[in-house]
Amino acid sequence: MSWLTRVRNALPFSNKRETPDNLWVKCPRCHDMLFSKEYEANLYVCPRCEYHGRIGADARLGQLLDEGYELLPAPQVREDPLKFRDTKRYSDRLKAARAANPHEDAFTAAYGRIEGLPAVVGVQDFGFMAGSMGMAVGDAFCAAAAKALQERCAYVVVTAAGGARMQEGILSLMQMPKATVMTRRLKEAGLPYIVVLSDPTTGGVTASYAMLGDVHIAEPGALIGFAGQRVIQDTIRAQLPEGFQRAEYLHKHGMVDMVVPRHQLRATLANLIDYLAPAEAAA
């Protein structure tokens, strides 16, 4: 032990107070350091550059629904039906994802009210295996749609996904037509089906229920598309325009109906539900 260490240890100073690791967050766009509590209070939107951060299912449901909403039970599906293994077993990946997340899979739904209007809200959580669509996601989507049919209310889905879950192979792709059938049933019943496209919404989710809504709302700056930009450029051998596959570009070219900041999303949904819901349900 050096003399400097001995002297420092002998000084009558209290131990340095530890600082929590999650006290600050760094904005991915402007790289400013944001106080975590202020960032959370601002709905996970950077107050400096308006970057809309990714949020989990519980935070999203709390932002959109009135207090007192009811979580719908998670569906029970066969896990690892193909006994898939790459660098890890699929069952181990599921265990790790569930240990890091509050829900059993990537899609969580709840029944409640948005500014007093009844609605079922389903949320895809990108934090759970990139929000990938497997059998559990497909079953949860369909069960939430069935709840909306039962209650004769609007069905709002917030998408965020990297596509179909490769570990479930063709079984994951079969969720696309299954979800499509449920959106058709909602349409036949005259019930609003509204999609909120958050960052990112890609792959098989975009190719199915994410683009079948009566109204498509995108959050600012959200990445929305099927294949990645590099894949498209290599296929067509042409440079894509600036902002391609971003919410504002897609709104300009008619792929989404509106781009709505997160602070205005709840009120916008309430207005749409009030306008689109059947008269007896809206009363």
Side-chain angles (χ1 to χ4, degrees), residues 195-269:
V195 181
V196 178
L197 302 155
S198 69
D199 182 67
T201 297
T202 60
V205 172
T206 306
S208 56
Y209 56 83
M211 284 298 163
L212 294 175
D214 299 311
V215 180
H216 297 98
I217 303 171
E219 288 195 322
L223 174 67
I224 305 162
F226 179 65
Q229 182 169 340
R230 186 175 61 184
V231 172
I232 297 172
Q233 287 185 160
D234 290 346
T235 301
I236 66 175
R237 302 185 183 282
Q239 187 68 31
L240 295 171
E242 185 71 24
F244 179 75
Q245 291 185 321
R246 293 291 172 179
E248 292 75 12
Y249 181 92
L250 298 179
H251 177 238
K252 181 180 178 181
H253 291 81
M255 191 171 176
V256 300
D257 296 301
M258 57 184 80
V259 178
V260 178
R262 194 169 290 166
H263 294 87
Q264 302 172 19
L265 185 56
R266 178 187 172 96
T268 301
L269 287 172

Side-chain angles (χ1 to χ4, degrees), residues 23 37-38 48 50 78 91 99 109-110 122 125 127 141 152 167 191 200 223 251 275:
L23 192 60
K37 292 292 185 182
E38 293 180 358
R48 295 167 177 81
E50 298 296 320
R78 184 182 174 190
S91 56
D125 189 346
F141 177 93
R152 290 200 53 77
Q167 293 90 346
L191 299 174
L223 174 67
H251 177 238
Y275 181 77

Side-chain angles (χ1 to χ4, degrees), residues 16-32:
K16 183 179 179 181
R17 186 173 60 184
E18 294 185 2
T19 304
D21 294 334
N22 61 348
L23 192 60
W24 299 88
V25 295
K26 186 176 182 180
C27 175
R29 179 186 291 167
C30 68
H31 307 298
D32 270 6

Side-chain angles (χ1 to χ4, degrees), residues 116-166:
L117 299 168
V120 173
V121 178
V123 177
Q124 232 165 330
D125 189 346
F126 192 79
F128 192 106
M129 296 187 70
S132 50
M133 177 182 61
M135 291 191 297
V137 168
D139 275 16
F141 177 93
C142 293
K147 179 68 172 177
L149 286 165
Q150 176 188 335
E151 301 292 340
R152 290 200 53 77
C153 67
Y155 185 25
V156 178
V157 173
V158 184
T159 60
R165 190 169 296 176
M166 58 171 283

Side-chain angles (χ1 to χ4, degrees), residues 70-145:
E70 164 200 357
L71 282 178
L72 302 185
Q76 300 299 314
V77 299
R78 184 182 174 190
E79 294 184 359
D80 198 8
L82 305 180
K83 304 300 179 186
F84 188 93
R85 181 180 186 130
D86 45 27
T87 56
K88 289 183 180 180
R89 292 187 301 173
Y90 177 39
S91 56
D92 292 338
R93 291 189 184 277
L94 281 174
K95 288 177 183 176
R98 286 169 180 161
N101 289 275
H103 298 289
E104 289 295 299
D105 216 285
F107 195 96
T108 304
Y111 171 63
R113 293 180 176 271
I114 300 176
E115 296 192 357
L117 299 168
V120 173
V121 178
V123 177
Q124 232 165 330
D125 189 346
F126 192 79
F128 192 106
M129 296 187 70
S132 50
M133 177 182 61
M135 291 191 297
V137 168
D139 275 16
F141 177 93
C142 293

